[in-house]
Amino acid sequence: MADIPLNSPSAVPGGRSATPAAAAPTGAQPAGWRGLVADWSGDQQTFQVAWGKAMMWIFLLSDTFIFGSFLTGYMTVRTSTTVPWPNPSEVFSLDIGGKPVPLLLIAVMTFILISSSGTMAMAVNCAYRRDKATAAKLMFATAAFGATFVGMQAFEWSKLILEEGVRPWGNPMGAAQFGSTFFMITGFHGLHVTAGVIYLSVVATRLLNGFYDKHKGGNYQIVEIAGLYWHFVDLVWVFIFALFYLW
């Protein structure tokens, strides 16, 4: 006589199954906060985010604290000094046809950097569509915008140092703290832009030579990760522009 499974309706008098009706299905996960804790305690991947993207977000969060501390220190120094602060419209003006034009260079720099966010966004879109050639070209264009911005910032620095006599420890146009805060914050941001130009150029080159096809299985998510960094750099400039040049 064939064995009858224990969970068969025939194994119980009356034809009823021995399995409780309310039993949870095998492998079912609790929902809500209990599910979150269960994932963590079971060493499972709690959030469906790639490690590269998660690490970039953590880096950007730490960088936010650094820039926030710098800008907070700048605002504290500016509001507490008893010496008049230099007028940005006069300090950052360019002579065009013998007449000073306030903030002309800064306006062009800002336009270039904001435009680079547009080309970077289009590069990410092309990467999602797996059009790596167009994505690489747009990333090179973004890097070119960034390099142009850094070059114009170098011109701005040289003008302040050589023509206006501004130093990190002194300033002939007003408060001495102007030079130290300006060079520190804009220089730190300029280093970020320079690093971004190198980063984007490397990623774009690897896109074209098929590096991510061979080693990443055709995963172009690195373009989005690079875009997160570049958009952050652009966003920080908006705050610098508002606090240094418009205040």
Side-chain angles (χ1 to χ4, degrees):
M1 179 178 180
D3 294 332
I4 301 175
L6 294 178
N7 60 349
S8 171
S10 302
V12 181
R16 292 175 298 177
S17 174
T19 304
T26 303
Q29 296 292 330
W33 286 104
R34 292 184 178 181
L36 187 66
V37 174
D39 285 343
W40 278 343
S41 62
D43 196 23
Q44 300 294 320
Q45 183 176 357
T46 305
F47 303 107
Q48 298 300 318
V49 179
W51 279 112
K53 188 185 296 185
M55 292 301 101
M56 178 57 76
W57 276 115
I58 293 174
F59 168 75
L60 296 181
L61 180 61
S62 65
D63 231 17
T64 300
F65 292 143
I66 298 175
F67 274 109
S69 299
F70 284 172
L71 292 175
T72 301
Y74 159 74
M75 290 185 288
T76 302
V77 167
R78 181 164 179 177
T79 55
S80 61
T81 182
T82 57
V83 181
W85 200 263
N87 186 351
S89 297
E90 298 176 359
V91 176
F92 303 108
S93 63
L94 285 180
D95 289 336
I96 304 296
K99 295 182 179 180
V101 181
L103 303 177
L104 176 61
L105 179 64
I106 310 305
V108 176
M109 290 170 59
T110 303
F111 176 78
I112 289 175
L113 204 58
I114 297 302
S115 298
S116 71
S117 276
T119 55
M120 189 67 239
M122 289 189 290
V124 173
N125 181 266
C126 290
Y128 274 129
R129 292 189 285 107
R130 308 190 63 79
D131 184 0
K132 65 178 184 179
T134 305
K137 292 176 183 178
L138 289 168
M139 292 185 74
F140 279 127
T142 304
F145 279 132
T148 303
F149 175 88
V150 173
M152 297 180 75
Q153 191 173 57
F155 172 78
E156 177 191 36
W157 274 38
S158 63
K159 180 176 180 295
L160 287 176
I161 295 172
L162 300 177
E163 297 182 15
E164 308 294 343
V166 179
R167 300 290 187 274
W169 53 84
N171 171 37
M173 297 176 288
Q177 297 92 334
F178 170 80
S180 59
T181 55
F182 176 79
F183 289 128
M184 178 183 67
I185 295 177
T186 58
F188 191 59
H189 178 266
L191 287 176
H192 277 70
V193 177
T194 303
V197 169
I198 298 173
Y199 183 28
L200 296 182
S201 300
V202 170
V203 172
T205 301
R206 287 185 166 186
L207 272 177
L208 290 178
N209 63 24
F211 176 85
Y212 300 110
D213 296 319
K214 293 181 293 184
H215 299 278
K216 300 294 183 179
N219 186 355
Y220 302 152
Q221 194 177 54
I222 185 64
V223 178
E224 181 185 5
I225 296 173
L228 290 175
Y229 175 85
W230 193 259
H231 292 316
F232 172 79
V233 170
D234 289 358
L235 179 62
V236 170
W237 176 254
V238 172
F239 287 95
I240 296 175
F241 175 76
L243 293 177
F244 264 106
Y245 301 104
L246 299 182
W247 183 10

